[in-house]
Amino acid sequence: MSAAPASPHPAEASSSSSSSSSSSSTSPAPASSNAPDPSLVPEAILNSPSVDVSASTTFRINAPPTDRAVRIYCDGIYDLFHYGHAKALEQAKKAFPNVHLLVGVCNDRETHKRKGKTVMVDHERYESVRHCKWVDQVIPDAPWIITQAFIDEHQIDYVAHDDIPYAAGDVADVYAFVKAQGRFLPTKRTDGISTSDLITRIVRDYDEYLRRNLNRGVSPQELNIGYFKEKRLRVAQQVMELQTEIKSELAEWKDEWKETVKTWEDKSAGYVKGFVSMFQKGVKLLRIRSPTGSRPTSPSVPQKRRRASDDDGDDGDEGDDMDADENGHEDRQRGRRHDADADEGESDESPIDPPPVLSPPPRNTRQQKQQQQPKQQQQRPSKRRRQG
C-alpha cells in the first residue's frame, strides 16, 4: 500500500495513555511467565471468552467502556463469504457482554487495485456480510488502511482482527497504527478455510465445473470457451457417465455373487448330507436285489403235480417239464417274498450287510426225470399185463 497511516491525535494519545495507566493499576499479577503482561492487558480483556490474549504481549490494549456498548470494528474483502469469516465476526461480537459490531467491506476498485480480481462484486459482498447474524452494521467502501478520521467518525473502540501482520505496499502492517493506540483486539484465525483455498479448488476442478454448467444450460460464450473445448468436454462427460454405469453394474454383480456364495455356504452342508443318505440307501437296495444277495431255494422241492398216465416217453417228458415250470414258478414267488421280508427288515444301524452264504444250486429237473424213467419203464409191463 502506498498510503501511510495517519498519526494519532495528541488528545487521543493522552487519553489512551491515561486509560492504560488506570487499567494497569487494577489488573492482577500474572499467574505464570506465559501469561500476558497485566500492564498491557486489562482484566476485562483477560476475562473475555473470545479474545486471543496470547499475542498481546507486544502491544497494550485499552480497557473497554462500561457505560455503553463497546463498538468493535472488523474490516475485510469477504469474497465468497464462508464460515471462517463468520467465526471471526462471532469472536468480535462475543468479546464483551454488550458489543455493537461494525463491519467494513472494501469496494471493487480498491480491492482489484491492491489485491486482485474478486469472484463476487462489491454489492454482493455487502449483502453477504449484512445477512450474518453477528453483524450490527455494514460500512461499504471501507478504507484499505484505517485512519484516525475514520475511527473518530464511527466512534470505534477496538479493531478486531487476527494478529498476523498484514502488509500492503510499503506498509509492513496496516494495523500497526491501531496497535499503537491500544485499540487492536486480537482474535483467532480459523485454519483450513479461506477465499484463496476455495478459488484453488475451482481452478483445480475447472473442467468438471465447466461440464456442470454446460449441463445446466449455460452457453459456451458465457463460460468463455471455444467450440472444440465444448465438444471435448461433452465427450468426456459421456465417457464419465459410461464409466459410472459400468462401475454400478459391477458393484451390483458383486453383491449378487456374494449373496449366492453365502446362500450356498449356508445350505451346502444340508445338500451334501442329503446326497450321502440317498446314496447309501441306493447301495443297500442294489445289494439286496442282486442275484448273489437272494436267498437260495432248497434242492428237495416236492412236485405238486404229476400226470397219472404213462402212455409213452413223450407224455412223461411233458409232465416233467410242467413240474419243472411249476417248481421254477414257486422259486420265483419264494424269492419275491424273500425280497419283501428283506425290505421290511432293513435297518440304518448296519449300512453294509454281510455277504449271504451260498448253497449248492438245485439239481436239474431233467436229471430227476432221467432217473425216474427206468422205474416207469419197469412198471409199464405190469400195468399192461394187468389191463390184459
Side-chain angles (χ1 to χ4, degrees), residues 149-169:
F150 185 80
I151 292 176
D152 294 341
E153 179 184 358
H154 296 283
Q155 300 178 1
I156 298 173
D157 296 314
Y158 297 104
V159 176
H161 200 273
D162 60 82
D163 190 44
I164 300 174
Y166 196 91

Side-chain angles (χ1 to χ4, degrees), residues 175-347:
Y175 298 105
F177 163 69
V178 181
K179 293 176 181 178
Q181 287 192 358
R183 296 177 181 271
F184 187 80
L185 202 65
T187 58
K188 295 181 180 180
R189 184 179 180 85
T190 303
D191 296 329
I193 185 67
S194 66
T195 302
S196 300
D197 180 57
L198 296 178
I199 295 175
T200 302
R201 298 179 194 178
I202 296 173
V203 173
R204 180 185 58 200
D205 302 327
Y206 173 68
D207 289 350
E208 185 174 351
Y209 288 113
L210 285 178
R211 288 193 297 268
R212 170 187 173 185
N213 285 276
L214 288 173
N215 293 333
R216 295 177 59 188
V218 182
S219 65
Q221 291 76 17
E222 292 176 326
L223 296 174
N224 194 25
I225 59 176
Y227 174 80
F228 293 103
K229 178 71 172 179
E230 176 195 0
K231 296 304 179 183
R232 184 175 65 83
L233 291 173
R234 293 193 182 278
V235 171
Q237 178 69 23
Q238 294 177 358
V239 172
M240 290 180 61
E241 291 177 356
L242 181 61
Q243 290 177 348
T244 303
E245 184 178 357
I246 293 174
K247 289 180 180 179
S248 177
E249 292 180 357
L250 287 176
E252 184 178 357
W253 179 82
K254 287 181 180 179
D255 294 340
E256 293 179 356
W257 174 252
K258 290 180 181 179
E259 188 67 23
T260 303
V261 172
K262 183 179 179 182
T263 303
W264 170 253
E265 290 178 351
D266 295 340
K267 296 183 179 182
S268 60
Y271 293 157
V272 173
K273 185 177 180 181
F275 174 77
V276 171
S277 177
M278 182 177 63
F279 181 77
Q280 289 178 350
K281 290 181 180 179
V283 170
K284 293 176 184 178
L285 187 60
L286 290 174
R287 287 179 176 174
I288 291 172
R289 297 194 174 220
S290 62
T292 57
S294 59
R295 182 179 298 174
T297 58
S298 174
S300 58
V301 179
Q303 296 181 358
K304 297 290 185 178
R305 293 180 182 180
R306 287 184 180 274
R307 293 178 62 92
S309 64
D310 296 328
D311 296 338
D312 50 16
D314 294 334
D315 295 337
D317 293 339
E318 291 176 359
D320 294 336
D321 292 337
M322 292 178 62
D323 293 338
D325 294 338
E326 290 177 355
N327 291 335
H329 178 68
E330 290 178 357
D331 293 341
R332 285 193 297 271
Q333 289 183 348
R334 190 175 291 103
R336 292 193 188 98
R337 287 195 299 270
H338 172 69
D339 294 341
D341 295 338
D343 292 337
E344 292 177 357
E346 181 181 356
S347 175

